[in-house]
Amino acid sequence: MDRRKLKSTAEAVIFACGTPVEAARIAEGLGVTEEEAADICEELMHEYNDADRGIRIVRLNKSYQMCTCEEYAEAIRTVMDLRRNTPLSQAAAEVLAVIAYNQPVTKAFVEQVRGVDCSGVISGLVSRQLIEEKGRLELPGKPLVYGTTEHFLRCFNISSLEELPPLPEDEEENSANEKNGESPEQDDLL
């Protein structure tokens, strides 16, 4: 199959799925390697995103999905009679940050970091599909562990967790150490 036909087929697959589809699955459909499928999808993604279109293709980890451009959200809501999602509460944002930066984590870990019960907040984040159960720990009671979802990546307009900004605590610790006349190397020796 020539490159143009491969791109058209990948486009059709991404559109038809409606949900994120992994490059490995696209590769199966195209009869190419996963790397070739990823290259084709990246090329297609750039073509969509560089053109003045209402639809774009996003990469979510190793998956690709078609979605509408953000600037047309209001028109889409009007036509589809959708209500705007309510913003996250401060507590929900904090819990989501703890999970995103430390995943997979247990509810007990999140509660230890925040110092308060987080059951309701975690349930709310699960219902919004921003986090999901990722399994159980092999500890007494087999506690559930949570992590972020592809919907989380899409909502925050990032392709992978590596794109999360660095934690400000690291910067604060370094500046505090510098004020005390300590260098990171001194800390490592202690």
Side-chain angles (χ1 to χ4, degrees):
M1 215 183 300
D2 71 343
R3 184 80 169 183
R4 189 175 57 93
K5 189 75 168 171
L6 288 171
K7 279 188 352 191
S8 296
T9 306
E11 179 182 37
V13 168
I14 294 169
F15 174 78
C17 285
T19 58
V21 58
E22 291 183 7
R25 300 278 318 263
I26 295 170
E28 288 175 29
L30 299 178
V32 297
T33 67
E34 186 175 340
E35 292 78 24
E36 289 174 304
D39 287 343
I40 289 166
C41 291
E42 289 290 324
E43 188 177 323
L44 192 58
M45 183 175 80
H46 291 298
E47 287 176 16
Y48 263 85
N49 299 351
D50 291 343
D52 188 24
R53 294 182 176 179
I55 295 173
R56 63 190 190 116
I57 295 176
V58 295
R59 180 174 44 84
L60 307 165
N61 287 327
K62 294 182 177 182
S63 300
Y64 295 87
Q65 180 178 17
M66 278 191 171
C67 63
T68 57
C69 291
E70 201 173 315
E71 65 188 275
Y72 306 114
E74 197 57 44
I76 294 166
R77 275 192 204 93
T78 301
V79 170
M80 297 181 73
D81 195 30
L82 297 174
R83 287 180 283 134
R84 184 170 190 84
N85 285 338
T86 54
L88 290 176
S89 66
Q90 180 69 30
E94 289 173 6
V95 169
L96 190 55
V98 170
I99 293 171
Y101 281 97
N102 299 290
Q103 64 185 301
V105 297
T106 63
K107 180 175 77 83
F109 176 83
V110 175
E111 290 173 345
Q112 181 181 5
V113 170
R114 291 199 64 240
V116 295
D117 178 56
C118 298
S119 300
V121 176
I122 288 176
S123 295
L125 292 171
V126 168
S127 70
R128 286 180 168 210
Q129 299 176 343
L130 293 171
I131 64 170
E132 64 186 359
E133 296 174 2
K134 296 286 188 177
R136 293 187 175 271
L137 287 182
E138 291 297 323
L139 295 174
K142 298 201 182 259
L144 288 169
V145 290
Y146 295 92
T148 56
T149 63
E150 286 184 334
H151 184 64
F152 165 83
L153 297 175
R154 197 171 29 259
C155 287
F156 286 89
N157 199 26
I158 57 176
S159 298
S160 68
L161 294 173
E162 286 80 40
E163 292 180 27
L164 288 172
L167 290 172
E169 292 177 85
D170 296 337
E171 296 168 13
E172 290 172 12
E173 284 179 23
N174 289 339
S175 64
N177 288 342
E178 289 172 9
K179 285 180 185 176
N180 293 333
E182 298 174 1
S183 69
E185 293 81 24
Q186 290 173 327
D187 289 343
D188 292 339
L189 297 174
L190 298 177

